Amino acid sequence: MMSRMLLCLFLISVSFAFFPFTGEDADTLGKGGLQWETQYARFKHYDETVHKDVVLQITGGIKDNTDIALIIPYSFYRYKDGTRNDGFSDVGVFIKHIPVEAGNFKAGYKLQLNFNTGKEGIGYGKITGNVNLIAQVCKDSMCYNTNFVYIKASFVEELRDTYGIILSNYKKLGKSLTLGGEVKLLRPAEDGVNKLDSHILLGSVYSFDKLSVA
């Protein structure tokens, strides 16, 4: 298990995005929309390993209620003994479809596959995937979001399938600033670990024109 510190995240987009939160929102880009996101995160493991990720995500709207995305991560590892391992991790592809929209309520799903493209010791060495079932209600400047998550990881040695829930709340303040909070509760993916994988995350997104910073 690890503790995670998210240092900064830059979003270059033509629509609003709710990163750095891990739950998937129910908004889509619309047909013909295009969004580029670059993310930087730093993780510190309990064994003193330092792990940094730089991620490029390109998302396109193929229908008004459907997006597809390509995710290309690059990872840097620094171990306690001083050794290093850098390289590309597993490339992911996802589709997000929001078929239900009734007034302030939206519901849909996201399906993601992560392919075995990563460097040895960085990627999982197997294809993994996840499903998010998404429900969202917005009223005025407030949005309430729920994700039911299932992650298929049992193909990987010492890992098992995991599942859980992510609850999020977003509050828009004026035209540019959005504040948010998130609670995540997941069954841990590591075999033999029974302690719940949980976090509480607070964050903000500042948007102006076609650029957002979180």
Side-chain angles (χ1 to χ4, degrees), residues 17 51 74 165 207 209 211:
H51 166 205
Y74 194 94
I165 189 170
S207 304
D209 194 19
L211 174 69

Side-chain angles (χ1 to χ4, degrees), residues 40-51:
Y40 172 76
R42 182 181 186 272
F43 305 78
K44 188 170 183 180
H45 300 247
Y46 292 124
D47 63 1
E48 298 187 22
T49 297
V50 175
H51 166 205

Side-chain angles (χ1 to χ4, degrees), residues 24-52:
E24 187 68 39
D25 64 79
D27 297 320
T28 53
L29 296 176
K31 186 175 182 180
L34 182 64
Q35 177 173 280
W36 296 72
E37 302 171 18
T38 56
Q39 308 167 31
Y40 172 76
R42 182 181 186 272
F43 305 78
K44 188 170 183 180
H45 300 247
Y46 292 124
D47 63 1
E48 298 187 22
T49 297
V50 175
H51 166 205
K52 301 175 184 178

Side-chain angles (χ1 to χ4, degrees), residues 9-72:
L9 172 70
F10 297 96
L11 309 171
I12 300 174
S13 67
V14 294
S15 74
F16 186 76
F18 280 122
F19 285 98
F21 306 105
T22 60
E24 187 68 39
D25 64 79
D27 297 320
T28 53
L29 296 176
K31 186 175 182 180
L34 182 64
Q35 177 173 280
W36 296 72
E37 302 171 18
T38 56
Q39 308 167 31
Y40 172 76
R42 182 181 186 272
F43 305 78
K44 188 170 183 180
H45 300 247
Y46 292 124
D47 63 1
E48 298 187 22
T49 297
V50 175
H51 166 205
K52 301 175 184 178
D53 281 335
V54 178
V55 182
L56 171 65
Q57 179 174 311
I58 305 169
T59 308
I62 58 173
K63 295 175 64 177
D64 286 342
N65 64 357
T66 307
D67 290 347
I68 58 172
L70 174 67
I71 305 163
I72 305 172

Side-chain angles (χ1 to χ4, degrees), residues 51 53 74 104 121 126 158 161:
H51 166 205
D53 281 335
Y74 194 94
N104 296 325
K126 300 280 187 179
E158 297 183 354
D161 294 349

Side-chain angles (χ1 to χ4, degrees), residues 4-5 11-12 16-17 21 28 60-61 66 69 91 95 98 112 114 125 153 156 169 185 187 199 209:
R4 173 176 176 175
M5 180 170 58
L11 309 171
I12 300 174
F16 186 76
F21 306 105
T28 53
T66 307
V91 169
I95 182 168
I98 308 297
Q112 180 168 331
N114 306 301
V156 181
N169 178 244
L185 300 170
R187 177 197 193 204
H199 76 218
D209 194 19

Side-chain angles (χ1 to χ4, degrees), residues 147-166:
N147 276 226
F148 296 98
V149 183
Y150 182 85
I151 301 171
K152 184 67 178 176
S154 59
F155 298 131
V156 181
E157 187 177 356
E158 297 183 354
L159 295 184
R160 61 187 176 187
D161 294 349
T162 184
Y163 48 83
I165 189 170
I166 302 172

